[in-house]
Amino acid sequence: MAFPSMMRPQIILLKEGTDTSQGKPQLLSNIGSCQVVADAVRTTLGPRGMDKLIVDGQGKATISNDGATILKLLEVVHPAAKSLVDIAQSQDAEVGDGTTTVTLFAAEILKQVKQYVEEGVHPQIICQALRIAGTLAIDKVNELSVQIKKEDPVEFRHMLIQCASTALSSKLVAGHKEQFSHMVVDAVMMLDELLPLNMIGIKKVQGGALEDSQLIAGVAFKKCFSYAGFEMQPKKYENVVIAILNVELELKSEKENAEIRVDNVIEYQNIVDAEWEILYDKLDAICKSGAQVVLSKLPIGDVATQYFADRDMFCAGRVTEEDIKRTIKACGGSLQTSLQNLNDNVLGKCKFFEEYQIGGERYNVFTGCTAAKTCTLILRGGAEQFIEETERSLHDAIMIVRRALKNDKVV
């Protein structure tokens, strides 16, 4: 049975409430939304650029000059404008700096092609022209680029310092770029050939002046929670042997609802003695291995702390996973979940270990790491937002120096 043209059933492809828009008006709307996003970060560009103060829904304030950070915090919802945010995030991940520049560059290109869209030029023709322009721009950049002379170490280092200094010149720490550019280059040069970013640790300590920031050629992390007896442990060692554990060194209650029925006091005492014996067996195994510093992801109790103190050993429990991984990569050894085979193959080694005060915090510092090259930047400053922005600035500079080391040309 054929339906008349007026009675044909309606075919619905999109769900109800979907907004559909296409053609020239939608293109112009997309360009307009991208212009608004670009205007939000335009004033942060360059050495005279201003910082933005952004407050999120929870009331947390962020002061930043970094384009990718600002765009991420703005939580843009327009689909076309969101592509500009993605461009900035991609630039931040790949190159590290120039996030504001790529956003403004993309928005300016859209602004220039807007008149051609209004005149009815097909978008495919505009895209084709932009691809040709992109090829010509790359050729021009290659023509202007300068070859980095890696054979001359003095000139090579000077070029890297200039790259870092340029990256920092538009940041909040521009007034101290001389100090930080040298610090960043030293940090990157300490790494091995692969230049792993996670081997540069950045720790923030509130208080003090920005000039008090320092670079440590090794691993440093904040002193962990400790029990009584910790004060008696030595805080300085040479030619250190390190045991890195994932073992709980304290008397603990059962994790499940266990029930033990005993008939007399002797049986109860046997259970208590067995618990103590298990703990002391663990501690004896660590002591006999020759380790002088014991690090553990899990808690180290008061009995174990006093035991190590009596034997001139240092211990730290509840060390974060990130710091454990960096210590393993730097000092060698491996994370042990049992204490059966503690030998030289699984223990880490470094030349010096020391715990000392930095600002209001105590820091454990390992230097002279034999297994890998690593370093830690200790940042000082007044306000929390200021230190966080310093960290973002140094991240950009570190990425640029890594990029310059991997490539052999700069403009």
Side-chain angles (χ1 to χ4, degrees):
M1 179 180 175
F3 286 96
S5 60
M6 296 296 291
M7 294 178 60
R8 282 180 186 161
Q10 187 179 1
I11 299 171
I12 301 171
L13 295 176
L14 303 172
K15 69 178 182 180
E16 193 175 346
T18 303
D19 182 24
T20 57
S21 178
Q22 57 188 9
K24 191 191 295 185
Q26 185 57 42
L27 282 172
L28 295 174
S29 170
N30 290 346
I31 291 171
S33 64
C34 291
Q35 295 295 313
V36 173
V37 171
D39 289 339
V41 294
R42 192 181 300 278
T43 53
T44 67
L45 184 68
R48 295 177 180 272
M50 296 177 286
D51 294 346
K52 299 286 184 188
L53 173 61
I54 301 162
V55 183
D56 62 12
Q58 282 76 40
K60 184 187 176 185
T62 305
I63 301 171
S64 183
N65 183 272
D66 183 51
T69 306
I70 294 167
L71 292 176
K72 186 179 177 182
L73 291 169
L74 287 178
E75 297 179 357
V76 178
V77 293
H78 192 284
K82 216 168 184 179
S83 63
L84 275 190
V85 180
D86 294 338
I87 289 170
Q89 298 286 353
S90 175
Q91 176 77 2
D92 192 46
E94 187 66 25
V95 182
D97 198 16
T99 50
T100 307
T101 306
V102 292
T103 306
L104 295 178
F105 198 51
E108 194 61 34
I109 289 171
L110 290 173
K111 184 179 175 183
Q112 296 300 322
V113 302
K114 185 177 180 181
Q115 59 179 328
Y116 298 110
V117 173
E118 289 170 342
E119 290 170 9
V121 179
H122 197 279
Q124 287 287 359
I125 296 171
I126 295 172
C127 290
Q128 194 175 355
L130 289 174
R131 287 193 190 98
I132 296 167
T135 306
L136 292 171
I138 290 169
D139 291 341
K140 188 64 178 175
V141 167
N142 286 330
E143 186 186 320
L144 294 169
S145 63
V146 178
Q147 191 80 24
I148 298 174
K149 294 178 182 176
K150 293 187 177 181
E151 306 82 34
D152 185 354
V154 177
E155 190 176 337
F156 182 46
R157 181 181 168 79
H158 179 65
M159 180 66 78
L160 293 178
I161 289 171
Q162 281 187 314
C163 290
S165 185
T166 304
L168 292 170
S169 60
S170 64
K171 306 295 183 185
L172 197 64
V173 294
H176 302 89
K177 65 180 181 181
E178 187 71 27
Q179 175 194 351
F180 282 110
S181 55
H182 282 82
M183 201 182 286
V184 164
V185 172
D186 288 339
V188 177
M189 296 293 269
M190 283 179 195
L191 304 180
D192 57 24
E193 291 177 2
L194 296 174
L195 304 175
L197 194 63
N198 61 352
M199 292 305 282
I200 300 178
I202 298 180
K203 302 295 178 183
K204 295 167 281 191
V205 182
Q206 275 188 270
L210 200 60
E211 299 86 12
D212 297 334
S213 300
Q214 56 182 294
L215 174 66
I216 294 171
V219 180
F221 53 83
K222 195 161 73 171
K223 171 184 170 295
C224 306
F225 173 81
S226 57
Y227 287 93
F230 179 80
E231 293 79 10
M232 297 166 62
Q233 294 178 353
K235 303 295 186 291
K236 193 173 183 179
Y237 295 93
E238 288 187 19
N239 299 318
V240 196
V241 180
I242 309 158
I244 304 168
L245 310 175
N246 189 20
V247 179
E248 211 164 15
L249 297 175
E250 66 177 354
L251 295 171
K252 55 180 181 177
S253 59
E254 295 298 330
K255 291 184 180 177
E256 305 296 332
N257 290 328
E259 184 177 317
I260 301 171
R261 299 193 178 210
V262 292
D263 296 330
N264 52 59
V265 177
I266 296 171
E267 286 183 11
Y268 173 74
Q269 187 62 45
N270 289 339
I271 293 168
V272 173
D273 291 343
E275 283 187 323
W276 282 93
E277 194 176 330
I278 289 168
L279 177 60
Y280 275 112
D281 284 347
K282 289 179 182 178
L283 299 177
D284 289 339
I286 296 168
C287 186
K288 286 173 184 174
S289 70
Q292 296 159 294
V293 174
V294 182
L295 304 179
S296 180
K297 286 172 69 175
L298 297 175
I300 295 178
D302 51 352
V303 175
T305 304
Q306 188 63 54
Y307 179 94
F308 290 135
D310 293 341
R311 286 154 184 80
D312 288 339
M313 295 167 67
F314 178 91
C315 68
R318 294 192 179 100
V319 183
T320 62
E321 189 170 357
E322 179 202 347
D323 292 327
I324 285 280
K325 283 181 177 177
R326 284 183 58 236
T327 307
I328 290 170
K329 283 187 177 180
C331 303
S334 58
L335 186 65
Q336 297 298 300
T337 53
S338 77
L339 303 170
Q340 304 302 320
N341 296 307
L342 276 182
N343 52 49
D344 285 349
N345 297 326
V346 298
L347 295 173
K349 294 176 182 65
C350 74
K351 288 184 180 175
F352 301 103
F353 167 79
E354 188 176 359
E355 182 188 291
Y356 55 83
Q357 193 85 9
I358 301 177
E361 307 283 356
R362 301 282 298 175
Y363 266 76
N364 300 329
V365 181
F366 298 85
T367 52
C369 303
T370 53
K373 296 180 178 179
T374 183
C375 59
T376 306
L377 288 161
I378 308 283
L379 302 182
R380 304 295 307 279
E384 184 185 347
Q385 294 98 327
F386 184 78
I387 301 178
E388 285 178 358
E389 178 60 11
T390 304
E391 181 187 8
R392 284 189 287 269
S393 303
L394 291 187
H395 172 266
D396 288 2
I398 287 166
M399 291 290 283
I400 290 297
V401 174
R402 286 175 74 239
R403 196 81 180 171
L405 277 168
K406 289 180 179 178
N407 298 281
D408 57 353
K409 287 184 178 180
V410 293
V411 178

